[in-house]
Amino acid sequence: SLVTSGHLRHVESMAQLPSGAGKISHLNAVILGEALASEENDLVFPSPEFSAQALVSSPEQYQQMYRRSIEEPADFWSDIASQFFWKEKWHPEVYAENIDVRKGTVKIEWFKGATTNICYNALDRNVEAGNGGKIAIYWEGNEPGQDGQLTYAELLDKVCQLSNYLKHVGVGKGDAVVIYLPMLMELPIAMLACARIGAVHSVVFAGFSAESLAQRILDCKPKVVITCNAVRRGPKTIHLKEIVDSALTDCAKDGVSVGLCLTYENQSAMEREATKWQEGRDVWWQDVVPKFSTKCLVEWVDAEDPLFLLYTSGSTGKPKGVLHTTGGYMVYTATTFKYAFDYKPSDIYWCTADCGWITGHSYVTYGPLLNGATIVVFEGYVTRYSRKSLRVLGSVGEPINPSAWRWFFNVVGDSRCPISDTWWQTETGGFMIAPLPGAWPQKPGSATFPFFGVLPVIVDEKGNEIEGECSGYLCIKKSWPGAFRTLYGDHERFETTYFKPFPGYYFTGDGCSRDQDGYYWLTGRVDDVINVSGHRIGTAEVESALVSHPQCAEAAVVGVEHEVKGQGIYAFVTLVEGVPYSEELRKNLILAVRNQIGAFAAPDKIHWAPGLPKTRSGKIMRRILRKIASRQLDELGDTSTLADPSVVDQLIALSDR
Ligand code: 6R9
């Protein structure tokens, strides 16, 4: 079978290869060295040269490691964890878990009782190993010619200065710090500085609006907000500090006052003289931080002490504060980084994600630096470079369709570089299903097989596990070190959202199928979460932004297929009685969403809806709205249970307005 082939061959051209489920006979054809029936073949093999140098170089090697990770998780993970520095070792057990709500509170703990520090492991440990002179960060700015770099030793100095400053202003272990910065080097510096002193960082993507920022500040009540005065996006200047000002003013009205706004002067975007300033609260980073010592003792924290909060969209209600702790997250991000990218110390690694999302936490900052890697932090636009030195490509955030996969493989990777299509979530901390690039023949569009220690299952509507070739809901059967531990301040919501839908399992919210060769294919969210260019957006958030407009009575939002963005946002809007629908109103409705959430959440389409299809109990039938939005009018299904079936015809009639 697939996993016992020892003889991998690289398929040179992917151009004619179709998508669809793989057939085992084709692999045999490859092994036997027969000509490929390329039209039906959908396996893409790593080259023998690549596999020969890879950390995991064959399916058998993967299988052996995977089996151990599942059968002896404590030994497997403690062996890996031993490569890190722990002030004290864990006791009594490597891990303890209950993920079955029927047995009581959900609890996940890894390496509990151990003390460590992730900043120490990412920086000091590498410097002490003699790598202080190695470049840690190459920074590329918005304009050509704006760049910078820091060695591990220099990065450590900068982090220590900020840590010392934060301690000086009273930030201590367990205190929250909100970071609202673009992709300057100061962003990973700020994250690491918090981690060093045991403070909990909460990075808010700098594309979020003042209202979204305020919502997060109100939830986690930080002692300090760290931002910069402005940032340039192409030709535009975005005044980040003014967004923070407005958020802080709103928070103060709601009883949460933040006493300090540490502001980095981003000179290339804006002079400090032009920046609005609140004396007593606002402080320029450059005026204070460099005065502090470049040596700062580490705060040793328990492996289960919180490292960071990252807010993410759910299907209902306000954003959820996903909480990650220190030890398990450290071990898991470092290990997934190393294997999924087949990391070599001479690699220069560039992850295009922003640190405002989980990918930027795990695979810009922590995972690579824990491995002593050289990373690229990139603020502006892509220019053309030679791609000869590329070794491995990665993809994340949404299902990648086979034709996009082939473009990435053929054009970006010159049909030479394996693609690591990594499926995971803010909640999972690190990669969960991902091809190890030297081990597996890939199928374009499939994230392939689970990472070590991850036990995925596919369940049906009733929560029964289904075996073999099947489709259903993707769940995970046991905990893994990088799992989130709770939703900040709302453990009940944590259990309700993730552990109650299918008792005994962690429910991912994603649909998934498994083909006859055991490959996993992620098919997208099965809840009311829309994935726009890899950004998770809850329909409920967009709806509440729309109805905040005084002329909007009701709104229902669904995702529709979008050629470029994966999914687009399609909003059905009912106006207040007597208000006519107009182009101006359309623009204002979109503006309301931009202002309340951020530009990335702006609806692609507003569909005027005199009424919405509802059941007699008043529940909006989104299934029908999705069909209308995607113009699948012959698939509307049964509309007879609607309180007023005629609204469907009205909506169809208004489709093209
Ligand atoms: C890391 C990240 C999580 C959701 C997840 C799923 C989708 C992520 C994917 C993928 C198919 C992949 N998703 N990676 N779908 N293939 N390789 O994106 O986290 O922002 O929390 O989004 O993204 O639907 O549930 P997050």
Side-chain angles (χ1 to χ4, degrees), residues 337-412:
F337 171 82
K338 174 173 156 186
Y339 286 104
F341 297 122
D342 190 51
Y343 171 68
K344 300 284 184 296
S346 57
D347 288 345
I348 296 177
Y349 165 81
W350 175 32
C351 170
T352 63
D354 190 290
C355 285
W357 309 109
I358 189 68
T359 307
H361 283 63
S362 303
Y363 302 109
V364 174
T365 308
Y366 291 114
L369 295 179
L370 285 164
N371 280 281
T374 295
I375 64 170
V376 176
V377 170
F378 203 72
E379 192 199 5
Y381 297 128
V382 182
T383 26
R384 289 189 76 91
Y385 289 104
S386 159
R387 298 179 306 278
K388 284 216 173 59
S389 61
L390 288 177
R391 285 206 316 121
V392 182
L393 304 174
S395 161
V396 66
E398 55 190 323
I400 177 166
N401 66 47
S403 68
W405 194 99
R406 282 194 198 98
W407 172 84
F408 199 32
F409 184 79
N410 290 327
V411 178
V412 179

Side-chain angles (χ1 to χ4, degrees), residues 312 357-359 395-400 421-427 433 447 508-510 522-525 531 534-536:
T312 188
W357 309 109
I358 189 68
T359 307
S395 161
V396 66
E398 55 190 323
I400 177 166
D421 174 358
T422 58
W423 173 83
W424 60 299
Q425 308 176 298
T426 304
E427 292 86 343
I433 300 183
T508 64
D510 279 322
L522 277 301
T523 51
R525 302 290 303 195
N531 192 332
H535 295 164
R536 259 169 81 167

Side-chain angles (χ1 to χ4, degrees), residues 2 19 38 53 58 97 134 137 174 203 215 221 250 331 333 348 363 376 424 466-467 502 532-533 589 611 631 649:
L2 235 196
S19 61
S38 63
Q53 57 80 64
S58 65
E97 69 176 29
K134 183 176 178 180
I137 303 182
V203 182
Q215 202 174 27
K221 304 180 183 58
D250 284 355
V331 170
T333 52
I348 296 177
Y363 302 109
V376 176
W424 60 299
I466 27 186
E467 306 285 331
F502 300 108
V532 182
S533 306
L589 286 166
R631 306 287 185 269
D649 295 328

Side-chain angles (χ1 to χ4, degrees), residues 595-607:
N595 289 340
Q596 284 196 28
I597 306 176
F600 62 91
D604 298 275
K605 166 88 184 171
I606 302 275
H607 187 133

